[in-house]
Amino acid sequence: MKADLERVKIFADAWKPEQVLSWAFANYGENVALATGMGIEGMVLTDMAWRINPDLKVFTGDTEFLFPETYDLMDRVEEKYGIKIERLYSELTPEDQARRYGPRLWTRDPDRCCNIRKVVPLRRKLANLDAWITAIRRSQTSERAGIRKIDWDPKFDLIKMCPLADWSRQMVWNYALKHNVPYNSLHDRNYPSIGCTHCTRAVQLGEDARAGRWSGFPKTECGLHTAEPVEPLVQLSAAGDD
Ligand code: SF4
């Protein structure tokens, strides 16, 4: 497959998102799923994918620190499309995490907190798939500037697809409004990018769309789409916690 992939990934960069999605479902069937953080890009991609394959599998990382508006959106998406969004949880409850690493870890070591609550659960999920689809775009962050629409994901060892890689934010919103795609009401209140309550604020006029994420830290990514290795969790039992 890797030899074919070298050819496909070159052709695929000229494909429309729907072509990438069709290729994904034709080639990976039950073994591909769409990951979304419930942002507008993920909602647009869910809508597109559902029109091609109404039985698509969708999952999201539930850090247990999400906004009520995000949980409300999950309910609305499930109802509109008749799908069940699988929620990935950390092995550590927020209370376990506070006991193990101290209170408010996100204020001291957000990389570790994201690793525990997002990256490790994602790795567990991806271990059971052959391919995953994400809604990231090249213009979102400098780390995403080089993404391909179809590529090998060396971090998680499976095919990764980014059908919206070359879309602009405006194109995403044009699609969303044209197709009446459900979206997080926080987007209408100056939250262009939404993560956990502890690490997301509204942006001011003229700020970058992701300026409200991990404000005060140099961090711009949660670690799902970067090259850093996944840090293993310290087992609670081995550490003597109850
Ligand atoms: S976004 Fe913040 S609260 Fe959420 S997992 Fe990352 S560091 Fe923790």
Side-chain angles (χ1 to χ4, degrees):
M1 181 65 208
K2 276 192 178 175
D4 290 347
L5 178 64
E6 288 307 308
R7 284 203 307 277
V8 168
K9 73 183 194 185
I10 292 168
F11 293 129
D13 266 347
W15 290 353
K16 291 183 173 167
E18 289 89 343
Q19 289 174 282
V20 179
L21 291 166
S22 296
W23 186 89
F25 295 131
N27 281 275
Y28 295 102
E30 288 283 295
N31 294 320
V32 60
L34 190 156
T36 173
M38 306 304 295
I40 188 63
E41 285 87 357
M43 297 302 91
V44 161
L45 205 53
T46 299
D47 184 275
M48 264 183 206
W50 176 80
R51 289 167 193 273
I52 297 166
N53 174 13
D55 296 324
L56 82 161
K57 295 176 183 171
V58 180
F59 64 88
T60 191
D62 184 348
T63 61
E64 303 181 72
F65 295 142
L66 302 179
F67 286 91
E69 289 85 348
T70 305
Y71 292 111
D72 172 66
L73 177 60
M74 290 182 202
D75 294 341
R76 286 189 284 128
V77 168
E78 289 182 337
E79 187 175 343
K80 178 175 169 103
Y81 298 107
I83 59 174
K84 186 77 192 151
I85 299 175
E86 182 186 358
R87 296 151 201 224
L88 311 183
Y89 294 98
S90 172
E91 289 170 26
L92 304 189
T93 65
E95 295 74 26
D96 289 335
Q97 178 172 307
R99 274 206 307 275
R100 184 72 188 89
Y101 295 99
R104 296 171 57 82
L105 181 60
W106 51 90
T107 63
R108 293 175 284 108
D109 191 348
D111 284 342
R112 184 176 298 276
C113 186
C114 279
N115 187 67
I116 294 167
R117 312 216 69 75
K118 295 183 177 184
V119 182
V120 172
L122 179 71
R123 180 179 60 178
R124 207 166 54 230
K125 172 67 185 174
L126 295 184
N128 296 313
L129 292 174
D130 292 335
W132 66 309
I133 303 167
T134 94
I136 59 174
R137 297 183 293 106
R138 290 180 186 135
S139 59
Q140 285 173 317
T141 68
S142 57
E143 288 89 348
R144 300 180 186 186
I147 57 172
R148 312 291 297 254
K149 292 186 185 174
I150 299 176
D151 208 349
W152 182 253
D153 181 344
K155 180 164 184 166
F156 296 110
D157 283 330
L158 76 172
I159 299 285
K160 179 176 183 177
M161 281 164 271
C162 308
L164 301 179
D166 57 357
W167 273 34
S168 65
R169 188 164 183 81
Q170 188 61 54
M171 291 165 78
V172 171
W173 275 104
N174 288 349
Y175 181 101
L177 296 176
K178 180 176 177 186
H179 295 281
N180 202 22
V181 171
Y183 67 84
N184 196 318
S185 58
L186 290 172
H187 286 319
D188 292 332
R189 286 152 47 196
N190 294 332
Y191 287 81
S193 178
I194 302 162
C196 296
T197 53
H198 303 308
C199 302
T200 308
R201 65 160 173 79
V203 300
Q204 306 300 315
L205 199 62
E207 279 190 315
D208 181 81
R210 287 179 69 86
R213 304 289 301 276
W214 303 287
S215 191
F217 287 92
K219 181 176 171 66
T220 58
E221 293 276 357
C222 54
L224 306 183
H225 304 292
T226 53
E228 292 86 29
V230 183
E231 274 186 52
L233 290 186
V234 176
Q235 292 299 317
L236 283 181
S237 53
D241 296 270
D242 56 22

